[in-house]
Amino acid sequence: MTQAARQETDAAAAPEFPIPAGVHAEKVISVRHYTDFLFSFRITRPQSFRFRSGEFVMIGLPNAAKPVFRAYSIASPSWDEELEFFSIKVPDGPLTQHLQKIKPGDTVLMRQKSTGTLVLDALTPGKRLWMISTGTGIAPFASLMRDPETYEKFDEVILTHTCREVAELTYGEELARNLVEDPLIGELVQGRFFHYATATREPYARTGRITALIESGKLFEDLGMPPFDPAIDRVMICGSMDMIRDVKALVEKAGLKEGSNAAPAEFVVERAFVD
Ligand code: A2P
């Protein structure tokens, strides 16, 4: 369908709120609910839309003359024909109170430019890539862990995901399982991708905050890897502000320096946006 034809269809569905200029109107392909507070969804990808794995984009709904847009990390890799997102549901959240009700066939708005610091370009070359996340902060890493370029640049890739409850870990568990079984890059990641999930408020195979697990050395012990070394390790951090602050202090203590698109270095951070 051409962009014009697509906009016509959408305008027909919601005649009172035309699609704003310069915004893509995409169709919801699938929705999956994990808990009362977490869901993922996939939408069509505009043909012209390019992004780097790990970036975020502004998402909205065609439900107002001036729709509310929020930053969402793209959870699908840059080669995927569709776009995937992982979201919280906030009962009175300006966007998520509506977004959590989307169904296949509905329209989601997306601004045209993607951006972000959790990209491979913002890191200097290294051997091990640590992707440290809490909650929906896993989203940019869901993209990077499925991108072959990540494995071209790093020998080993470790995804840590910490949530309060076990059910919140399901999205990441399934991603990790599907990655290893993936016909395209399963072989490439074999023995090189490590998924380290912990719950903090329920019993689980592994428990505790990632900060405590780094400080005690248990994370490294469990994985059979040496502690952070600026010569070898590169770190990406995504989650709540508090978690970022505390993990950042730990990696800085290990001698890593913060990088950006303009000045790549040894670690990068980004908060998980929607709250
Ligand atoms: P905890 O249950 O001990 O608070 P939230 O839902 O508040 O964003 O938390 C998501 C996960 O991140 C929870 O498992 C939480 O642990 C953990 N967490 C919260 N704050 C920090 C922090 N400052 N450092 C490390 N982990 C944190």
Side-chain angles (χ1 to χ4, degrees):
M1 202 191 290
T2 64
Q3 185 71 14
R6 196 184 282 143
Q7 291 198 354
E8 216 167 272
T9 316
D10 293 325
E16 64 274 41
F17 299 120
I19 306 303
V23 171
H24 293 294
E26 298 305 313
K27 287 285 172 223
V28 176
I29 296 164
S30 59
V31 185
R32 173 120 187 249
H33 294 268
Y34 294 89
T35 70
D36 289 348
F37 302 102
L38 284 176
F39 72 113
S40 69
F41 58 98
R42 293 178 75 85
I43 64 171
T44 51
R45 175 175 175 169
Q47 268 184 358
S48 60
F49 181 67
R50 297 276 170 276
F51 70 101
R52 294 179 297 174
S53 294
E55 287 188 321
F56 66 86
V57 73
M58 305 303 289
I59 291 284
L61 285 171
N63 59 356
K66 283 197 176 168
V68 172
F69 281 87
R70 288 285 181 268
Y72 270 85
S73 290
I74 302 165
S76 45
S78 55
W79 52 261
D80 202 324
E81 283 172 14
E82 302 170 359
L83 297 173
E84 180 178 314
F85 301 93
F86 185 47
S87 178
I88 52 166
K89 309 175 195 176
V90 182
D92 50 4
L95 177 61
T96 65
Q97 66 169 308
H98 305 294
L99 193 64
Q100 63 179 285
K101 295 183 189 133
I102 54 169
K103 301 254 174 329
D106 288 354
T107 299
V108 167
L109 305 180
M110 190 181 94
R111 286 207 205 280
Q112 289 177 350
K113 247 193 88 54
S114 61
T115 186
T117 55
L118 299 180
V119 290
L120 296 170
D121 291 343
L123 294 173
T124 48
K127 292 208 177 317
R128 261 195 307 261
L129 175 63
W130 299 82
M131 304 186 293
I132 297 184
S133 68
T134 55
T136 56
I138 193 176
F141 304 142
S143 175
L144 284 158
M145 69 186 262
R146 292 185 273 186
D147 191 332
E149 197 190 338
T150 305
Y151 302 88
E152 279 162 25
K153 294 205 162 158
F154 292 94
D155 296 341
E156 291 173 317
V157 177
I158 305 107
L159 167 68
T160 84
H161 190 209
T162 303
C163 293
R164 297 178 182 201
E165 295 172 10
V166 175
E168 297 172 272
L169 296 168
T170 307
Y171 178 73
E173 281 168 352
E174 291 186 359
L175 276 175
R177 205 175 312 128
N178 292 340
L179 178 69
V180 178
E181 289 166 7
D182 189 284
L184 286 177
I185 67 169
E187 210 169 304
L188 182 67
V189 312
Q190 203 74 45
R192 298 171 56 197
F193 171 78
F194 303 86
H195 177 231
Y196 191 92
T198 74
T200 49
R201 302 197 189 183
E202 275 186 351
Y204 187 60
R206 292 198 172 100
T207 55
R209 286 187 169 195
I210 197 65
T211 39
L213 294 159
I214 292 171
E215 275 187 297
S216 69
K218 187 161 187 333
L219 169 69
F220 307 105
E221 217 172 90
D222 286 347
L223 291 165
M225 292 176 186
F228 296 139
D229 174 350
I232 290 170
D233 295 295
R234 298 293 171 262
V235 182
M236 291 179 161
I237 312 166
C238 190
S240 67
M241 294 297 266
D242 287 354
M243 172 279 215
I244 288 173
R245 182 200 57 218
D246 293 352
V247 176
K248 183 176 158 162
L250 291 173
V251 297
E252 282 179 335
K253 199 170 142 198
L256 280 73
K257 298 208 169 41
E258 185 167 359
S260 67
N261 276 288
E266 290 139 7
F267 79 91
V268 281
V269 308
E270 204 149 78
R271 63 180 279 251
F273 304 95
V274 181
D275 45 22

